[in-house]
Amino acid sequence: MAHIDAGKTTLSERILFYTGVSHKLGEVHEGNATMDWMVQEQERGITITSAATTCFWKGHRINLIDTPGHVDFTAEVERSLRVLDGAVAVFCAVGGVQPQTETVWRQAKKYKVPTIAFVNKMDRTGANFFKVVADMHKKLGASVVPMVIPIGAEAEFSGIVDVLEKKAYTFTGNEGQVVTEIPVPADLAGLLKEKHNYLIECLAEVDESVMEVFLNDQVPPPEMLKEALRKAVVSGILVPAYCGSAFKNKGVQFLLDAVVTCLPSPVDIWETRGMNPDTEQTEVRTAGDEKSFSALAFKIMSDPFVGRLVFFRVYSGEAVRGVTVYNPRTRKRERLGRLLLMHANHREECEEIFCGDIAAAVGLKNVTTGDTICDESNPIVLESMHFPEPVISIAVEPKTSGDRDKLYGALGALADEDPTFTMKSDPETGQTIISGMGELHLEIIMDRLRREFNVEANAGQPEVAFREAILRKSETDSKFVRQSGGRGQYGHCVLAMEPRERGHGITIENKVVGGNIPKEYIKPVEQGIREAAQTGILAGYPLTDFHVDILDGSYHPVDSSEMAFKIAASMGLKDAARKAGLVLLEPIMKVEVTTPDENMGDIIGDVSSRRGSIVEIETLDTASRVVANIPLSELFGYATAIRSLSKGRASYTMEPFIFERVPDAIQKKIVEKTSK
């Protein structure tokens, strides 16, 4: 996992080469990398979908997933981190900690994934291993321990010194496959001693046996240090840092050794916690092939030859071809059809998948991303994943009426694969609206429609996904009464509504006492509130960040129904929201621009003209870094603008940051436009 262009895919290619999976080195810039198998990836030289494969190193089996670095495909990183036991964070030796690095680091921390760092591109001009390590301390707050010292840097980078073993190595042969031990260079002896002592100090803080030896003024043996290091990494206390140049085939074997030595195996993650779907009590599964089967589906993929593939990670027990499994979310049984081990887009059939492994299954119809599949006699729901909300939308329409059904089918398949891509029909205009994480995300979707699904479609102008929010507290007393001869409709509820902080979402609490609203009608009231919030009140955008208390109400023994209470609640929410005062919120993006110093003034002026605010300006060795918060609606076509301002020398990245209130003048225009 890493920022875009740190060298994840090149590193993955080297790992496949050294572990004997591939016999030829694939290169990203030549479009023949094994892990970048999609046409769109080969053309753009970026990773779009996370590719999974399996390799072996020194008698250990490694499941490897190469994830995208671009923020538009952040869901791929999220779901990979949810099912993997360890991660390698790749850093550019020149760029250090970049914006997307911080995002993936936060995701890894959220799922408590032990991490090791690999500082790549040591052969580039300006490469500095220890500067990147200091950057990780400062920006990520990580306890990083350098495990190697580079011999030379930039064009002079020739090998590494192993801090733990106190030995030096170079990498020779056409592809760097020959690792040769050499004497430790004299000019690095002092630095090696210093870093070795630092490693012992760090491990002494977390391991008692190392502490004991250290306090007796003795040097702990390498085996003891290795054992202590593994414990510290698995528990997430330390992050060992390695370096090399994947492109120049240097240092990759040491990283593979570190994966085997430091990162956990499924047995280290002994217990997996979940919830019993029937009793809602905490359930625990322990690793082992003979235990009760449980697995998490983390990715769906449409394969042109096999159909719908469901990728899953087995947490306990084993998956056997043809066996029936249970999905607690749908409460349905499904049969595991063919089981496939995936090598990027190549498939290998197998009869059974063991505990800790990752595989794909054919034939699971109703399983979606985040579902648990398990043994029906011993059900469990494992923790699912949370994905960010889409921030940008466009309207699509088929070029011919004959393409209409094909378009809906294709969009449905793509939405099934990607949880951050959604499609909906606008009830007022009849248009099909697709939403995603950024312009590139939607561009790739349109490209896949044309190539994979043979659907020609036109796309409209990008639209920003606004939200609505309320300003103050309000109350409403809402009645829905309809008498039309025979049985009528009667629903009555009293609601109190109040605003909450950004990112809170919608919460509802039932405070009805004395059975004034019978228990069976509370759920329809909640549904009515949520549905009304989804359709919006001011300009048709979803209403969010509020709390509703259901205070009171009344019912009719004959005329009351679920539908009546749902309508009463929906009317009540709209009334309460209008009383509370409505405002529009817009997505604000955190934009980071790296620019030559002479273009700095133009970039800052441009940020101001886009209603942006400067957060930070940092002077680097050869350029400057500007961090700003800018509304997404002002960022369409930003790539072209920034190129022309800097004669093509500046680069930028952006990621969703927060929703903030739209200025009144702009809100007025948006409301007028939507009301038309």
Side-chain angles (χ1 to χ4, degrees):
M1 58 173 199
H3 185 81
I4 191 165
D5 266 354
K8 294 176 296 300
T9 304
T10 304
L11 180 59
S12 302
E13 292 303 314
R14 298 307 183 261
I15 288 173
L16 294 184
F17 178 77
Y18 294 129
T19 54
V21 174
S22 59
H23 302 289
K24 180 178 178 295
L25 287 175
E27 300 294 1
V28 176
H29 58 272
E30 289 171 10
N32 60 2
T34 312
M35 302 301 263
D36 281 355
W37 55 269
M38 285 172 70
V39 185
Q40 291 84 353
E41 294 178 317
Q42 290 162 359
E43 286 178 353
R44 290 170 174 80
I46 59 170
T47 303
I48 292 166
T49 178
S50 51
T53 190
T54 303
C55 55
F56 293 86
W57 182 252
K58 296 188 177 173
H60 296 78
R61 179 193 185 119
I62 300 173
N63 287 320
L64 170 76
I65 292 191
D66 173 32
T67 64
H70 203 287
V71 67
D72 285 18
F73 311 108
T74 187
E76 292 289 329
V77 186
E78 184 89 11
R79 55 180 165 198
S80 302
L81 282 170
R82 169 63 189 86
V83 295
L84 294 180
D85 296 331
V88 176
V90 185
F91 296 81
C92 170
V94 183
V97 176
Q98 293 163 290
Q100 190 58 14
T101 321
E102 296 183 46
T103 307
V104 295
W105 197 267
R106 275 199 306 274
Q107 289 170 314
K109 284 283 154 280
K110 182 164 88 182
Y111 294 118
K112 299 184 175 62
V113 178
T115 309
I116 54 181
F118 182 73
V119 178
N120 193 19
K121 304 195 177 185
M122 282 300 298
D123 56 313
R124 270 188 63 190
T125 307
N128 187 330
F129 174 60
F130 292 110
K131 182 171 176 286
V132 178
V133 170
D135 215 14
M136 289 163 69
H137 274 293
K138 184 176 141 198
K139 291 184 182 168
L140 304 175
S143 303
V144 188
V145 193
M147 298 302 295
V148 293
I149 297 169
I151 301 174
E154 305 179 354
E156 305 301 311
F157 176 62
S158 60
I160 56 174
V161 180
D162 184 335
V163 171
L164 197 145
E165 300 271 5
K166 293 189 169 178
K167 293 176 181 174
Y169 299 92
T170 58
F171 305 89
T172 51
N174 291 342
E175 276 91 20
Q177 67 273 55
V178 183
V179 181
T180 315
E181 189 181 333
I182 58 164
V184 174
D187 58 333
L188 294 178
L191 185 61
L192 174 60
K193 191 177 179 189
E194 179 196 319
K195 296 299 173 194
H196 188 74
N197 288 344
Y198 178 66
L199 171 66
I200 294 170
E201 281 169 32
C202 289
L203 293 175
E205 283 177 25
V206 295
D207 189 280
E208 284 180 17
S209 51
V210 176
M211 171 73 86
E212 216 170 285
V213 178
F214 178 63
L215 291 176
N216 290 333
D217 285 339
Q218 294 171 315
V219 177
E223 286 313 311
M224 180 187 275
L225 291 176
K226 272 184 190 171
E227 204 173 303
L229 179 68
R230 180 179 179 83
K231 275 187 210 158
V233 175
V234 170
S235 56
I237 299 168
L238 293 182
V239 177
Y242 296 82
C243 73
S245 164
F247 183 53
K248 293 283 169 66
N249 316 310
K250 288 176 182 156
V252 179
Q253 294 94 325
F254 274 80
L255 179 69
L256 278 166
D257 287 343
V259 168
V260 169
T261 312
C262 302
L263 289 181
S265 85
V267 180
D268 292 303
I269 315 292
W270 186 246
E271 284 190 345
T272 304
R273 293 187 176 274
M275 183 188 77
N276 186 309
D278 302 321
T279 63
E280 298 196 354
Q281 297 296 313
T282 301
E283 288 264 336
V284 175
R285 288 283 184 278
T286 48
D289 294 341
E290 67 294 336
K291 302 282 194 306
S292 223
F293 173 68
S294 67
L296 185 77
F298 67 96
K299 179 178 161 87
I300 311 291
M301 191 174 111
S302 300
D303 188 294
F305 304 105
V306 190
R308 189 173 187 264
L309 285 177
V310 176
F311 283 76
F312 63 94
R313 148 85 198 252
V314 182
Y315 281 96
S316 62
E318 56 184 46
V320 181
R321 180 178 177 160
V323 159
T324 302
V325 293
Y326 178 65
N327 181 349
R329 181 183 62 85
T330 58
R331 307 262 167 180
K332 285 184 178 159
R333 292 195 296 267
E334 296 208 42
R335 192 170 162 277
L336 282 175
R338 291 159 63 194
L339 293 176
L340 308 169
L341 276 177
M342 300 298 288
H343 300 286
N345 61 334
H346 300 292
R347 299 167 298 275
E348 181 190 322
E349 299 256 353
C350 48
E351 291 300 313
E352 51 192 343
I353 304 295
F354 298 102
C355 179
D357 279 340
I358 288 173
V362 183
L364 297 173
K365 296 275 185 296
N366 299 311
V367 173
T368 64
T369 301
D371 278 0
T372 303
I373 49 175
C374 58
D375 191 350
E376 192 178 4
S377 59
N378 199 356
I380 186 171
V381 178
L382 300 170
E383 184 200 350
S384 188
M385 293 152 258
H386 304 285
F387 297 106
E389 291 279 309
V391 293
I392 181 170
S393 308
I394 56 172
V396 293
E397 57 181 33
K399 279 195 174 167
T400 64
S401 55
D403 274 347
R404 185 173 298 279
D405 291 344
K406 270 168 74 180
L407 174 69
Y408 291 140
L411 289 174
L414 290 169
D416 189 25
E417 276 185 30
D418 184 350
T420 56
F421 168 69
T422 59
M423 59 173 276
K424 66 173 195 287
S425 194
D426 188 321
E428 289 178 14
T429 61
Q431 284 179 309
T432 302
I433 309 291
I434 61 171
S435 310
M437 296 303 295
E439 287 185 87
L440 178 66
H441 189 189
L442 295 180
E443 185 191 314
I444 300 286
I445 294 281
M446 295 305 291
D447 198 31
R448 288 186 65 190
L449 280 178
R450 198 176 74 249
R451 289 188 177 170
E452 280 174 44
F453 298 93
N454 297 321
V455 177
E456 291 295 333
N458 297 325
Q461 281 297 308
E463 288 283 334
V464 177
F466 291 100
R467 295 280 182 275
E468 296 179 11
I470 55 167
L471 291 171
R472 51 192 169 267
K473 291 182 179 180
S474 70
E475 265 192 41
T476 182
D477 189 327
S478 171
K479 253 185 197 173
F480 175 67
V481 186
R482 182 153 297 166
Q483 214 60 47
S484 55
R487 186 179 167 180
Q489 295 279 8
Y490 182 93
H492 171 217
C493 55
V494 179
L495 307 176
M497 184 182 195
E498 57 184 82
R500 287 282 197 263
E501 72 281 356
R502 297 287 161 261
H504 174 83
I506 301 170
T507 49
I508 302 168
E509 195 178 336
N510 174 22
K511 290 191 173 174
V512 178
V513 288
N516 289 354
I517 300 178
K519 218 171 178 182
E520 65 267 27
Y521 295 139
I522 294 295
K523 206 155 193 162
V525 169
E526 289 185 8
Q527 280 175 340
I529 291 168
R530 289 187 189 278
E531 283 177 19
Q534 194 55 39
T535 53
I537 292 124
L538 181 66
Y541 296 107
L543 180 66
T544 187
D545 300 338
F546 64 87
H547 175 79
V548 173
D549 286 324
I550 308 167
L551 299 177
D552 201 3
S554 61
Y555 74 104
H556 189 283
V558 179
D559 290 354
S560 282
S561 67
E562 289 190 357
M563 182 55 78
F565 272 99
K566 199 169 162 182
I567 294 170
S570 177
M571 287 161 51
L573 182 91
K574 288 180 178 176
D575 181 50
R578 287 192 188 97
K579 285 180 187 169
L582 286 156
V583 289
L584 278 184
L585 306 175
E586 62 182 342
I588 305 292
M589 308 299 276
K590 181 183 174 189
V591 181
E592 188 163 310
V593 184
T594 306
T595 172
D597 293 339
E598 62 263 32
N599 302 115
M600 184 81 146
D602 296 336
I603 297 290
I604 290 172
D606 184 60
V607 167
S608 304
S609 72
R610 294 173 187 273
R611 297 195 284 124
S613 58
I614 304 286
V615 178
E616 184 190 344
I617 295 173
E618 186 187 356
T619 308
L620 307 171
D621 296 343
T622 53
S624 293
R625 195 171 68 95
V626 181
V627 182
N629 295 336
I630 308 176
L632 176 64
S633 55
E634 304 288 341
L635 283 171
F636 295 131
Y638 190 55
T640 316
I642 207 162
R643 275 189 210 124
S644 60
L645 283 172
S646 65
K647 301 186 178 66
R649 291 171 67 199
S651 62
Y652 79 98
T653 57
M654 64 172 162
E655 57 182 78
F657 176 55
I658 198 170
F659 276 87
E660 275 184 7
R661 191 173 167 178
V662 175
D664 291 343
I666 293 172
Q667 177 171 317
K668 197 175 165 192
K669 279 183 194 167
I670 294 167
V671 174
E672 277 172 12
K673 185 181 159 192
T674 51
S675 63
K676 281 178 188 171

